[in-house]
Amino acid sequence: MSMFNNEISIDNREFLEQYLNGYEYKTSGLSFSAQYMWRDINKFSWDMMGEYMCISGISHLELEDGIELPFMFPPLTATGEYDKDALRETIYKAKEHFEKKGQPFSLRLVPFHVMEIIKEAVPEMHFIDDRPNYDYIYLTQELIDLKGKAFHSKKNHLNYFKKTYEYEYVELTSGMADDAMRFISDFNKRKEVPAHEMEMLKMEEQAMEDVFKNIEAVGYSAGAILIDGNIEALAIGGKLGKKTITEHVEKANVEFRGLYQAINNEFCRNVAAKAKYINREEDMGIPNLRKAKLSYKPVKLIEKYIGVFK
C-alpha cells in the first residue's frame, strides 16, 4: 500500500533532492539514489505536509504475519533547520493521514541526531533502538590503503587476486545493463542462503534491471571488474550529503579469491575524490553480513530508531 500520492521518479528528482539534501541526515535510505533503487520494493511515496516532505514506505524486516505495515521516514526539511511547532504539526498531520487509511503510524529509520529534534517537538513519542538498520561508516582512504594488522587478511586476499588474475576495472554504464543483469542472475543462482534471504535477493534483482538502465539519469557511481571480458564483480553507490557515498550494491563471483576485496578497493579508489566516507548501509540483522561489515572496521555506526506514540 502506498500511503501518499506521489511516486519517486527521475522526473521529480530535482525537487526531492531539495529535501533529501537539505539536511545532513547521514543515513543510507535518505538519498535519491537509495529512494529510486528501492522505490518499488519498499513502495516509497511522498507528499508535502506543512513545511516538510513526508516519505512513506514498507519495511521487509518487520513484516507481521505477512502483513505489510507502512512507516514514515522522519519529515524532511529543505532549509537545514527544523521549527519545533511546525515539525509537531507535520507529524500529527501524518499520523491522522495514516489513521484515516486504517494504518498504525510510526516513524522508522530515524537517525539519532534527528530523533533528538523530534523528541523536543513531540515528547509523547517513544523511540525504540533499531540495531538491524544501523548504517556502517568507513573512511574511504582506509579502505583503499588497508594498512595495519586489522586489515592484514583483506590485504592478503587483495594481493593474491592482483597477482593471480588479469582484470580491468571499468565504469559501469547503462550501455552495459544487459551484461550486468546476466551477472546478477548468475550470482543469485550460486547463492545458498535461507529462504528469507533469497527472497530479499530476488527483490533486489528486480530492482537492479531498472537501476542499470538509468545509471546516468539517477547519478549513480558505478564500476565493474572484468575478467576475460566478462563482468565478475560490480558495485553501485550514490551521493549522500556533502562528504559521503553510499555503496548500495556490491557483488563478486566468489570463485575468484580476493575479488570481493578487489571490487571494494577499486570502487573506493574511484570515488575517493568526492567521498571522504563510505556508507555501506545496514546488516539487516543477518549474522554473516554483520560480521563482514564489522571486519572492515567502521569508524562509526549511524544509530537509527523507530518512533511510536506512547
Side-chain angles (χ1 to χ4, degrees):
M1 168 184 280
S2 294
M3 294 301 295
F4 298 125
N5 294 326
N6 303 298
E7 299 180 347
I8 307 294
S9 71
I10 293 172
D11 290 340
N12 56 37
R13 174 186 172 186
E14 184 177 352
F15 182 69
L16 285 163
E17 286 190 332
Q18 291 179 37
Y19 290 85
L20 290 164
N21 298 334
Y23 186 86
E24 285 287 341
Y25 294 106
K26 301 181 181 179
T27 59
S28 57
L30 289 176
S31 66
F32 182 75
S33 62
Q35 289 283 314
Y36 184 83
M37 183 175 288
W38 310 121
R39 69 194 188 284
D40 292 332
I41 292 173
N42 295 105
K43 299 182 181 177
F44 292 144
S45 60
W46 64 274
D47 210 341
M48 296 300 301
M49 290 198 169
E51 297 181 14
Y52 304 108
M53 176 178 286
C54 296
I55 300 178
S56 173
I58 61 165
S59 171
H60 293 279
L61 299 186
E62 293 93 8
L63 296 183
E64 295 185 6
D65 299 323
I67 300 173
E68 296 178 344
L69 291 178
F71 70 91
M72 197 174 90
F73 286 92
L76 308 181
T77 175
T79 66
E81 297 179 353
Y82 282 95
D83 176 81
K84 182 170 67 173
D85 293 334
L87 179 58
R88 180 181 180 85
E89 181 182 350
T90 291
I91 288 175
Y92 268 94
K93 280 184 178 179
K95 180 175 181 289
E96 182 181 0
H97 179 80
F98 271 59
E99 290 171 350
K100 282 183 176 179
K101 285 181 170 276
Q103 298 294 336
F105 177 77
S106 67
L107 297 176
R108 294 179 184 263
L109 305 175
V110 181
F112 177 81
H113 54 295
V114 180
M115 177 186 72
E116 293 299 311
I117 295 170
I118 295 173
K119 284 170 70 174
E120 184 178 353
V122 192
E124 58 270 35
M125 286 202 81
H126 173 64
F127 286 87
I128 306 160
D129 184 75
D130 189 12
R131 178 61 180 86
N133 277 309
Y134 281 20
D135 279 347
Y136 291 75
I137 311 299
Y138 308 82
L139 283 168
T140 307
Q141 198 60 47
E142 284 192 358
L143 297 185
I144 294 171
D145 296 337
L146 297 177
K147 290 181 178 178
K149 292 182 180 180
F151 294 107
H152 181 72
S153 175
K154 297 190 184 301
K155 193 67 174 283
N156 281 346
H157 286 302
L158 177 61
N159 288 339
Y160 177 89
F161 177 81
K162 288 183 173 181
K163 292 176 181 177
T164 306
Y165 304 105
E166 291 187 11
Y167 75 95
E168 180 184 9
Y169 181 87
V170 298
E171 179 183 358
L172 186 63
T173 68
S174 56
M176 302 165 67
D178 290 343
D179 290 338
M181 277 308 298
R182 278 193 290 270
F183 165 77
I184 292 292
S185 178
D186 290 343
F187 177 91
N188 287 341
K189 288 175 183 176
R190 288 192 295 266
K191 295 285 284 187
E192 294 183 7
V193 295
H196 70 283
E197 289 185 39
M198 180 54 69
E199 185 178 353
M200 289 183 185
L201 286 174
K202 288 298 183 183
M203 289 190 293
E204 181 184 82
E205 184 174 335
Q206 293 172 12
M208 295 315 299
E209 184 170 8
D210 182 80
V211 166
F212 290 140
K213 292 178 179 177
N214 289 288
I215 288 175
E216 296 84 8
V218 178
Y220 290 110
S221 297
I225 286 180
L226 308 182
I227 300 176
D228 294 330
N230 298 315
I231 295 176
E232 298 293 355
L234 58 79
I236 300 177
K239 182 178 173 58
L240 176 64
K242 297 177 181 178
K243 299 180 180 180
T244 304
I245 291 285
T246 299
E247 189 183 42
H248 300 303
V249 175
E250 180 184 281
K251 308 282 188 186
N253 185 346
V254 294
E255 294 178 4
F256 297 92
R257 176 187 162 189
L259 183 50
Y260 259 112
Q261 288 76 21
I263 187 62
N264 181 268
N265 190 259
E266 293 285 0
F267 179 78
C268 290
R269 286 181 186 278
N270 281 270
V271 300
K274 53 186 174 183
K276 181 178 180 180
Y277 299 102
I278 300 291
N279 181 320
R280 298 192 72 198
E281 300 191 329
E282 63 283 310
D283 61 40
M284 298 178 289
I286 300 171
N288 288 343
L289 191 54
R290 181 170 296 183
K291 181 179 178 181
K293 289 181 185 288
L294 288 171
S295 73
Y296 268 102
K297 310 304 176 187
V299 293
K300 68 176 83 171
L301 300 182
I302 300 296
E303 300 175 8
K304 300 182 199 172
Y305 293 83
I306 299 169
V308 296
F309 278 87
K310 296 178 182 178

